[in-house]
Amino acid sequence: DAKTTQPPSMDCAEGRAANLPCNHSTISGNEYVYWYRQIHSQGPQYIIHGLKNNETNEMASLIITEDRKSSTLILPHATLRDTAVYYCIVRGWGAQKLVFGQGTRLTINP
Amino acid sequence: NAGVMQNPRHLVRRRGQEARLRCSPMKGHSHVYWYRQLPEEGLKFMVYLQKENIIDESGMPKERFSAEFPKEGPSILRIQQVVRGDSAAYFCASSPEADANYGYTFGSGTRLTVV
């Protein structure tokens, strides 16, 4: 699976949109981009995933560049409860496990 | 639809004892994954199981650790003769299929403390 690069930490003001970047320049055509988050010491929580097209659900939006070498997770109206470590993971077709990196520690400030 | 259930939530064992961690996957999910998170560290894959089969155990320590997912009942992660370094959070996840278009659902974890 392709490696991902994320900033180690980010801050965002409450109520604003949080935009978390992820680079995956070696991604191949059949690899999905997944986002998970871990709030404090809870179990990781699935947020969203996509292959080529942008995706949106009740939690977030995922914007994947046309060349697929990078993506951005958008939390449209961040709240204090969105403070967590966010993981961007690339998972290939047939890959049976998710490999977590260090993620981005997002802090939402009041 | 209940989520992934792990128990116990907290487990304290003395050095040399055995620890058994249980994981019941979501209904309809036949694929189970175990991860370990040491204090202040990231999530590390341990093992992937389907019913009655170990598919990938590349992340399992070579000794003292074993996992099973029987035809009936929960998946069990077993740690024999625990040592202080086994103190960690152990998370289980399940999915309905193994292919890349299906995400995992994680449980709340078992916090193992070895004293």
Side-chain angles (χ1 to χ4, degrees):
Chain A
D1 295 334
K3 290 192 181 298
T4 62
T5 303
Q6 298 179 254
S9 63
M10 291 182 63
D11 285 85
C12 179
E14 187 178 19
R16 304 297 292 268
N19 298 285
L20 292 89
C22 180
N23 286 322
H24 30 79
S25 58
T26 61
I27 194 170
S28 60
N30 62 358
E31 291 182 316
Y32 287 81
V33 179
Y34 275 81
W35 284 85
Y36 278 78
R37 72 181 181 183
Q38 187 174 27
I39 297 173
H40 196 226
S41 56
Q42 298 177 21
Q45 179 186 23
Y46 167 84
I47 302 173
I48 200 166
H49 77 283
L51 183 62
K52 296 179 181 177
N53 300 320
N54 298 336
E55 302 287 345
T56 296
N57 62 21
E58 64 279 3
M59 287 182 67
S61 295
L62 173 61
I63 309 298
I64 303 174
T65 57
E66 194 168 340
D67 64 7
R68 303 186 70 242
K69 294 186 176 182
S70 66
S71 60
T72 301
L73 179 74
I74 301 172
L75 308 177
H77 305 286
T79 71
L80 298 179
R81 288 176 293 181
D82 292 321
T83 292
V85 178
Y86 286 76
Y87 298 96
C88 170
I89 303 166
V90 170
R91 186 183 185 197
W93 192 266
Q96 296 164 331
K97 62 192 181 215
L98 290 170
V99 178
F100 288 80
Q102 296 305 305
T104 295
R105 185 172 297 275
L106 174 68
T107 302
I108 307 300
N109 300 305
Chain B
N1 187 13
V4 176
M5 305 300 293
Q6 290 189 249
N7 63 81
R9 291 294 303 274
H10 299 275
L11 182 62
V12 179
R13 284 288 177 265
R14 295 186 185 279
R15 281 178 294 171
Q17 290 185 320
E18 179 179 285
R20 279 180 175 250
L21 289 62
R22 288 177 292 277
C23 169
S24 296
M26 288 185 69
K27 186 176 181 180
H29 288 195
S30 58
H31 301 263
V32 166
Y33 311 82
W34 285 93
Y35 285 75
R36 178 167 68 173
Q37 188 168 35
L38 295 168
E40 305 303 321
E41 294 191 15
L43 289 146
K44 301 298 183 186
F45 168 80
M46 297 182 76
V47 63
Y48 158 46
L49 310 101
Q50 293 182 36
K51 284 286 187 182
E52 300 184 277
N53 289 302
I54 297 174
I55 307 301
D56 181 353
E57 55 182 349
S58 59
M60 287 280 269
K62 296 294 183 227
E63 299 177 346
R64 302 188 296 108
F65 284 72
S66 63
E68 63 177 8
F69 188 17
K71 187 176 181 181
E72 301 291 337
S75 175
I76 305 290
L77 180 67
R78 182 183 177 204
I79 311 172
Q80 296 178 288
Q81 299 175 323
V82 295
V83 301
R84 289 237 170 96
D86 297 331
S87 295
Y90 292 82
F91 294 99
C92 166
S94 72
S95 69
E97 300 287 342
D99 73 50
N101 199 20
Y102 288 89
Y104 300 176
T105 301
F106 280 84
S108 299
T110 293
R111 273 80 182 162
L112 172 65
T113 302
V114 179
V115 297

